[in-house]
Amino acid sequence: MSTRGFIGLDGSGVPMVKIMADASYDPLSTPDTDWEKHRFNSRNTEYSYIDDIIIWPRTVTTYYPAGCNSSNYVLKCESGGFVFCHAARAIAYYGFLPIIEHRYIDPTNNKARIYRDDTLTNGNPNSMAKVKQNSGIRTTSAYDNLNNHPDEMVSQFGAVASPYCAMSIVTRFPCDRDYTALSTPPIVGNCFFVVDEKRGYARISRGAVDARTAIASQCIVHENQRPLTIVATGSTTLTAGQTQVIALGVDVPDGSIPYIIGAAAGNMASFSSPSSAFLVDASISGNNLTIVNGNAVSITVFYNVMVQNQQVPTTGGSGKILFTDEGEIKMLRPGAASPPVPADILLWSEYRYCPVVAYGKVADMLFSGTPGVSTPARTYTLAVPALDNPPIILTALQKVGADANFNDGDILINANWASSAFGVTLQLTNWWVYDAAAHTITFSVNDTAGSRWVFRYFVLAVPD
């Protein structure tokens, strides 16, 4: 597909970089809020990032970052498959407590497995939570495997069949710890875009910052930082047990990871809802996406294929780092080898960069329903911009004040756990459902204790 780009000043003299999804879209006249028409738009300065994708070994307790041990790790995975995130160290390491998504993956071919158990525990293994450790079955066995780790978020992972391993996706956003935006409007005449092979610069700065002196956190794009990148997106319905092969129609880098989201009543939903069993495998072969429905019923799934693999940036290259040729725009890391790996490609017109179109926090008192009553769930409906493609939605619920089950500040990410054997649930079960036709997201919380909390969310548009 031929694309069209623009690097320069708009009609008001404000600098901008745009990469359009199609050559027919005019970068000067297309409104910034036509999210899907822009593969990249520096005027939408809220972009998201993936700090780490960690594939954990199956049988060995492993610590992260490399070189850490049991006394100083930020994340670890025990041999049984449970992932732990030390909250205080994560804040020191990343600058905030990140939203961490979990999946299972076969490291030999990057086949992703997404499942929800519906046998003994009805658990949600994609979730992570930090809860007070006590003797209640709803806390210790749900999120800590009966171990005492009061300073940590813990996944509700467990061992799965070989060769699948736990995988943690650590996300980052252009906000401070209280989710306040850091961006400011560009300043007329400011140097916000710089490509300098000799100095090793490849930067698009955020707002009023001079790109020549900016650090990575002050940039939308930086030689050491690229926005979350998608190469393909869509949705499909599979009959019971069906295997479906989808030709993506684009060049998919080796090792790209499929990110699958399920549905409730035809609407995209977090895996915390519905609570029935769910099993899907997804893998990339060449430029095709294969999805396997492991359920006995028809399902709808939404997919994004992330341009993110385990390859580290290359070195030793000395070629061009900015290409604008034959409908193609590409910006590489200085020193990238030829051919570049995905980590070397900072911007490319073949890829899609997902701007944050809605974010914020909602206090518990703004949710409908009665505190302390588990049925029906308390809900809050958020209006979002009209989006042509399914968005990426990430959420976290943070406890306010301590009680018998939670510490002040405890975090729950997609945390829904129930036990059919004991008939109990986690006290702050939460999930979301996206209604594309109504342009709304409904956040739901089952708050059996009637406690105080705040719900945080990020919504990312996915371009065409």
Side-chain angles (χ1 to χ4, degrees):
M1 177 187 292
S2 179
T3 57
R4 184 176 179 182
F6 182 92
I7 303 173
L9 304 178
D10 67 9
S12 302
V14 176
M16 69 177 187
V17 176
K18 284 191 173 187
I19 300 175
M20 311 308 291
D22 189 270
S24 63
Y25 301 148
D26 185 348
L28 289 175
S29 62
T30 302
D32 294 335
T33 52
D34 279 352
W35 311 103
E36 287 82 8
K37 292 183 179 179
H38 295 86
R39 290 282 171 92
F40 176 82
N41 183 2
S42 67
R43 286 157 42 129
N44 298 330
T45 53
E46 304 292 358
Y47 278 83
S48 61
Y49 305 86
I50 293 178
D51 272 343
D52 290 305
I53 290 184
I54 308 161
I55 297 177
W56 303 98
R58 277 186 55 84
T59 58
V60 180
T61 296
T62 306
Y63 304 101
Y64 188 86
C68 291
N69 55 44
S70 60
S71 65
N72 61 3
Y73 61 86
V74 175
L75 293 112
K76 75 168 179 178
C77 183
E78 293 186 343
S79 57
F82 289 87
V83 176
F84 297 74
C85 174
H86 193 285
R89 294 182 200 137
I91 291 171
Y93 184 73
Y94 292 111
F96 56 94
L97 193 59
I99 294 177
I100 302 174
E101 292 281 293
H102 294 299
R103 295 292 187 270
Y104 290 99
I105 196 162
D106 179 348
T108 64
N109 55 19
N110 275 15
K111 178 189 290 186
R113 165 160 287 188
I114 303 92
Y115 93 97
R116 177 186 172 87
D117 190 16
D118 190 36
T119 54
L120 175 64
T121 61
N122 290 336
N124 178 8
N126 300 306
S127 63
M128 177 170 251
K130 184 176 184 294
V131 299
K132 183 178 289 187
Q133 303 308 306
N134 57 37
S135 60
I137 184 68
R138 289 170 286 185
T139 54
T140 48
S141 69
Y143 284 93
D144 205 359
N145 198 28
L146 297 178
N147 295 315
N148 187 15
H149 295 269
D151 297 323
E152 307 195 69
M153 292 194 296
V154 185
S155 74
Q156 213 224 325
F157 271 122
V160 293
S162 178
Y164 288 97
C165 301
M167 177 177 69
S168 300
I169 304 171
V170 183
T171 63
R172 176 165 57 89
F173 305 90
C175 298
D176 61 19
R177 280 184 55 193
D178 202 36
Y179 295 74
T180 302
L182 300 179
S183 296
T184 55
I187 292 179
V188 175
N190 197 40
C191 179
F192 92 117
F193 177 83
V194 59
V195 176
D196 189 328
E197 180 184 351
K198 299 300 182 185
R199 290 185 172 88
Y201 296 164
R203 302 172 185 173
I204 301 174
S205 69
R206 179 172 280 123
V209 181
D210 190 321
R212 292 168 294 186
T213 58
I215 60 175
S217 62
Q218 296 172 318
C219 294
I220 308 170
V221 177
H222 186 275
E223 60 266 14
N224 296 317
Q225 170 181 281
R226 64 191 185 104
L228 188 154
T229 309
I230 300 293
V231 70
T233 186
S235 63
T236 188
T237 298
L238 299 94
T239 59
Q242 181 185 2
T243 296
Q244 191 174 114
V245 179
I246 301 170
L248 298 175
V250 293
D251 186 17
V252 181
D254 292 341
S256 293
I257 297 172
Y259 182 85
I260 304 295
I261 307 172
N267 291 320
M268 187 168 68
S270 67
F271 279 115
S272 297
S273 174
S275 58
S276 56
F278 191 87
L279 174 62
V280 173
D281 286 335
S283 59
I284 300 294
S285 178
N287 296 327
N288 295 331
L289 170 65
T290 299
I291 303 177
V292 180
N293 179 9
N295 304 281
V297 296
S298 175
I299 62 169
T300 296
V301 295
F302 300 82
Y303 62 85
N304 288 301
V305 179
M306 299 189 298
V307 185
Q308 189 84 26
N309 60 24
Q310 296 299 295
Q311 292 174 294
V312 299
T314 61
T315 59
S318 59
K320 292 193 300 183
I321 58 176
L322 180 63
F323 299 79
T324 56
D325 185 38
E326 296 182 357
E328 178 185 23
I329 300 169
K330 183 183 287 186
M331 183 176 174
L332 299 179
R333 288 181 56 260
S338 181
V341 301
D344 293 324
I345 302 173
L346 303 177
L347 283 179
W348 191 16
S349 49
E350 292 293 314
Y351 295 163
R352 309 165 188 199
Y353 301 91
C354 305
V356 179
V357 298
Y359 69 93
K361 52 188 178 182
V362 184
D364 60 278
M365 63 193 69
L366 296 179
F367 277 65
S368 67
T370 304
V373 177
S374 61
T375 305
R378 300 182 64 186
T379 61
Y380 179 88
T381 299
L382 174 74
V384 296
L387 302 172
D388 295 337
N389 299 324
I392 297 172
I393 301 170
L394 298 173
T395 64
L397 187 149
Q398 183 172 5
K399 182 70 174 65
V400 176
D403 61 25
N405 303 298
F406 296 93
N407 304 292
D408 180 40
D410 280 356
I411 294 286
L412 299 93
I413 301 169
N414 285 343
N416 184 357
W417 182 84
S419 169
S420 58
F422 297 96
V424 291
T425 62
L426 188 69
Q427 290 85 350
L428 283 176
T429 293
N430 64 95
W431 66 93
W432 56 260
V433 176
Y434 169 66
D435 187 330
H439 315 307
T440 61
I441 305 170
T442 298
F443 304 124
S444 297
V445 176
N446 277 341
D447 177 13
T448 61
S451 57
R452 303 300 306 275
W453 37 268
V454 60
F455 197 94
R456 305 181 186 276
Y457 64 88
F458 288 94
V459 184
L460 283 58
V462 179
D464 290 335

